[in-house]
């Protein structure tokens, strides 16, 4: 990115001053190297977001930001419905509530290595993975609507998990305000056979070892210790979320003129929050969030069965976080408490210590912020900070962030070669797609160490622990 258009505020914060139709500034977080390597389209997209009606304070880009559909991925923006604020399908994204959950195993590296291949094969066999994959659960119309209204709570009520899981999931496992009637029949058809599946792309189930503790007090509160092994699951709302995005983006583009909205980019299609279309999208999007929460809950159930069968241990949930959402939250802006709709596209909610929406067991230290890796590089666990509320509406990065397109990655790497190279490093990967392996090659992503270091230095979230992969089931 050409930094001549930016003003450096701190060593990890950069400001794009309002110009043209921009209503607020753009704020980018990242080290000089991360900002320099960002695509110029991130700045252009951030300026477009800053031009939308009712935006509050600024449009933000997290340190892992890269070019996305309309909003940059790693983008955060708040809108006030009382000031004409909007909800944008492009600001949520197609994989609604794609997110990460991490589970404790109570095991160490040696226990995993003794059965590493058996464990990898069993997880790959039990958890459906790949483009268009289907699972063993079939939902009729009534159960599908119950799932869309109930999220992980529905899954637990049907035997997929334990009631104590719910306390460790955003929204206690169920996003309120979901309206299954606003989800199209086509979206429901796409999801009917896909519950409990990982999908493709950057989705994964990974067994990881804690190889570094940065903040021992918070790590202890999270139940993490050096040498412990955890399981992380990254996936979302599958075909249903994608279809909701497709359906409503078309409607929002067509209706923009009726609402007096001038779109700087058709991909930023949006509707006023206080409009029938805006409310309908929120109802459908919240149903998509519940679908993702239920999906990760069912995959957790499948992984638990494997660990019980192979190692005789149960898994306990550390936390589940979502990306790609728009949520109503209360924030203080210029000394005034306001209810705002926070878009986080490829960004993680990161509530700081004392936040009332956190479970009591975590409230003293802040929310776990789970940062995904790339099969071959580390993942990280951070904690929300008190400062992040003022900095970016309690938001942080969500992963390493792509450094090149999937098409470019397939020109540079071959899937089997990537898999073999990782095996030589002791990381067993199981995937149905050599092309997918090439698209997701670790080299196609930014340096995750640089990203989490910048996030920590910017006070968006506090670095707690580093995780390194031992087994990866890859979409």
């Amino acid at each position: 990115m050409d930094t001549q258009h930016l003003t450096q505020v701190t060593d990890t914060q950069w400001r794009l001053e309002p110009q043209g139709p921009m209503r607020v500034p753009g704020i980018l977080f990242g080290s000089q190297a991360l900002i320099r390597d960002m695509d110029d389209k991130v700045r252009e997209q951030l300026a477009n977001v800053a031009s939308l009606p009712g935006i509050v304070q600024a449009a933000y880009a997290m340190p892992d930001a890269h070019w996305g559909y309309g909003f940059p991925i790693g983008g955060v923006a708040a809108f006030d419905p009382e000031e004409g604020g909007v909800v944008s399908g492009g600001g949520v994204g197609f994989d609604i509530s794609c997110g990460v959950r991490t589970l404790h195993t109570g095991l160490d590296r040696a226990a995993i290595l003794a059965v590493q291949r058996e464990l990898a094969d069993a997880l790959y066999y039990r958890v459906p993975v790949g483009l268009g994959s289907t699972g063993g659960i079939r939902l009729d119309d009534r159960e599908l609507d119950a799932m869309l209204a109930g999220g992980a709570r529905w899954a637990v009520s049907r035997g997929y998990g334990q009631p104590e899981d719910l306390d460790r999931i955003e929204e206690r496992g169920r996003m309120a305000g979901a309206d299954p009637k606003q989800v199209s029949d086509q979206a429901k058809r796409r999801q009917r056979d896909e519950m409990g599946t990982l999908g493709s792309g950057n989705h994964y189930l990974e067994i990881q070892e804690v190889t570094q503790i940065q903040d021992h007090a918070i790590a202890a509160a999270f139940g993490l210790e050096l040498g412990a092994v955890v399981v992380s699951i990254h996936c979302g709302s599958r075909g249903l979320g994608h279809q909701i995005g497709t359906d409503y983006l078309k409607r929002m583009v067509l209706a923009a003129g009726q609402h007096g909205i001038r779109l700087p980019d058709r991909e930023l299609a949006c509707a006023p929050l206080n409009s029938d279309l805006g409310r309908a999208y929120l109802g459908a999007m919240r149903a998509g969030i519940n679908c993702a929460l239920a999906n990760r809950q069912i995959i957790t159930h499948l992984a638990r069965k494997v660990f019980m069968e192979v190692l005789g241990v149960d898994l306990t949930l550390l936390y589940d976080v979502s990306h790609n959402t728009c949520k109503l939250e209360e924030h203080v802006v210029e000394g005034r408490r306001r209810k705002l709709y926070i878009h986080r596209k490829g960004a993680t909610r990161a509530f700081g210590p004392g936040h009332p929406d956190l479970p009591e067991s975590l409230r003293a230290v802040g929310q776990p912020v789970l940062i995904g890796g790339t099969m071959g590089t580390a993942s990280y666990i951070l904690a929300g900070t008190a400062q992040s509320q003022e900095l970016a509406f309690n938001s942080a990065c969500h992963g390493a962030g792509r450094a090149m397109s999937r098409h470019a990655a397939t020109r540079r790497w071959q899937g089997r070669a990537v898999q073999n190279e990782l095996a030589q490093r002791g990381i067993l990967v199981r995937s149905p797609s050599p092309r997918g392996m090439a698209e997701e090659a670790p080299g196609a992503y930014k340096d995750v160490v640089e990203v989490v270091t910048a996030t920590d230095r910017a006070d968006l979230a506090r670095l707690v622990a580093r995780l390194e992969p031992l087994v990866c089931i890859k979409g």
Side-chain angles (χ1 to χ4, degrees):
M1 178 182 295
D2 186 350
T3 57
Q4 68 172 334
H5 303 284
L6 306 177
T7 302
Q8 187 166 4
V9 180
T10 69
D11 65 336
T12 53
Q13 188 181 140
W14 307 70
R15 182 181 171 95
L16 176 65
E17 296 295 343
Q19 53 192 296
M22 291 174 65
R23 302 167 191 257
V24 294
I27 302 290
L28 300 94
F29 294 98
S31 64
Q32 190 158 27
L34 287 170
I35 297 295
R36 185 192 60 220
D37 292 342
M38 276 184 195
D39 195 304
D40 278 314
K41 289 286 285 185
V42 173
R43 187 186 69 241
E44 181 183 320
Q45 291 191 321
L46 205 61
N48 288 339
V49 173
S51 307
L52 293 177
I55 188 168
V56 175
Q57 195 161 279
Y60 299 93
M62 299 292 109
D64 56 337
H66 56 100
W67 178 27
Y69 185 94
F71 269 54
I73 295 171
V76 176
F79 294 87
D80 189 337
E82 303 309 316
E83 296 185 358
V86 296
V87 58
S88 169
V92 171
F94 288 94
D95 194 359
I96 295 170
S97 192
C98 178
V100 183
R101 66 167 50 190
T102 296
L103 300 113
H104 299 289
T105 69
L107 301 169
D108 60 15
R109 177 188 179 90
I112 298 298
L113 293 185
V115 293
Q116 188 181 18
R117 188 169 297 277
E118 181 185 356
L119 201 51
D121 291 340
L123 287 167
Y124 185 59
Y125 174 76
R126 190 64 64 88
V127 180
V129 59
L131 183 66
S133 56
T134 57
I137 299 171
R138 302 287 184 271
L139 301 182
D140 60 22
D141 291 347
R142 186 173 178 178
E143 275 298 279
L144 196 52
D145 283 356
M147 180 273 290
L148 294 176
R153 292 190 200 175
W154 168 86
V156 169
S157 73
R158 300 303 190 267
Y160 303 111
Q162 302 152 3
E164 52 267 36
D165 292 340
L166 301 175
D167 197 43
R168 294 301 186 105
I169 302 173
E170 281 189 25
E171 317 300 335
R172 303 298 199 276
R174 174 183 175 271
M175 186 74 215
D179 187 353
K181 295 192 299 295
Q182 304 301 336
V183 178
S184 70
D185 291 342
Q186 186 177 0
K188 293 178 180 178
R189 273 197 300 275
R190 289 184 64 175
Q191 193 61 31
R192 199 171 299 281
D193 301 333
E194 290 192 349
M195 294 308 298
T197 64
L198 270 177
S200 58
N202 60 353
H203 298 150
Y204 61 76
L205 184 156
E206 215 166 75
I207 301 174
Q208 303 159 329
E209 179 188 7
V210 179
T211 59
Q212 183 183 355
I213 298 287
Q214 185 76 16
D215 189 311
H216 291 271
I218 299 179
F222 287 174
L224 298 167
E225 59 184 29
L226 197 62
V229 168
V230 299
V231 173
S232 293
I233 298 166
H234 177 225
C235 63
S237 50
R238 306 288 285 112
L240 181 129
H242 196 280
Q243 191 62 47
I244 290 172
T246 301
D247 292 341
Y248 278 91
L249 279 163
K250 289 178 185 172
R251 293 176 61 181
M252 288 175 172
V253 167
L254 292 174
Q258 299 169 22
H259 293 123
I261 296 173
R262 179 187 170 278
L263 295 174
D265 178 352
R266 285 173 58 88
E267 294 182 357
L268 281 179
C270 56
L273 286 153
N274 286 334
S275 69
D276 288 344
L277 181 54
R279 284 186 284 269
Y281 175 73
L282 287 172
M285 186 266 306
R286 289 164 177 160
I289 291 176
N290 283 335
C291 178
L293 297 179
N295 195 40
R296 288 196 288 276
Q297 187 65 38
I298 294 171
I299 292 173
T300 296
H301 173 74
L302 299 174
R304 279 174 165 153
K305 290 181 74 169
V306 169
F307 271 79
M308 182 58 70
E309 290 166 3
V310 176
L311 287 155
V313 299
D314 198 5
L315 308 178
T316 57
L317 183 56
L318 166 57
Y319 206 66
D320 180 300
V321 298
S322 292
H323 322 130
N324 299 355
T325 62
C326 175
K327 292 187 177 181
L328 179 62
E329 297 174 7
E330 198 168 81
H331 291 274
V332 176
V333 180
E334 296 177 345
R336 184 160 66 97
R337 193 166 289 278
R338 298 167 68 175
K339 289 189 174 180
L340 304 172
Y341 284 80
I342 313 297
H343 292 66
R344 295 188 181 92
K345 180 179 181 179
T348 307
R349 193 192 74 177
F351 284 158
H355 198 287
D357 285 353
L358 293 177
E360 189 175 344
S361 56
L362 299 174
R363 199 168 295 157
V365 294
Q367 180 205 301
V369 177
L370 311 174
I371 307 301
T374 65
M375 294 190 287
T377 57
S379 296
Y380 286 85
I381 294 177
L382 292 81
T385 65
Q387 299 93 323
S388 65
Q389 198 286 140
E390 188 173 337
L391 287 166
F393 298 110
N394 290 120
S395 306
C397 62
H398 83 311
R402 291 199 75 90
M404 68 174 65
S405 70
R406 289 186 167 88
H407 186 64
T410 56
R411 289 200 303 267
R412 182 171 298 189
W413 290 285
Q414 293 189 332
R416 293 303 173 206
V418 171
Q419 193 168 10
N420 292 337
E421 181 186 339
L422 293 171
Q424 289 172 6
R425 292 171 47 198
I427 305 167
L428 295 188
V429 182
R430 298 289 183 265
S431 173
S433 170
R435 180 179 177 85
M437 289 287 297
E439 290 177 347
E440 298 299 318
Y445 283 82
K446 302 175 196 240
D447 181 351
V448 69
V449 178
E450 184 84 11
V451 169
V452 297
T453 299
T455 301
D456 179 85
R457 288 177 62 84
D459 287 330
L460 294 168
R462 183 78 56 233
L463 181 55
V464 177
R466 172 185 170 99
L467 317 173
E468 295 188 11
L470 298 170
V471 171
C472 181
I473 310 303
K474 190 69 175 175

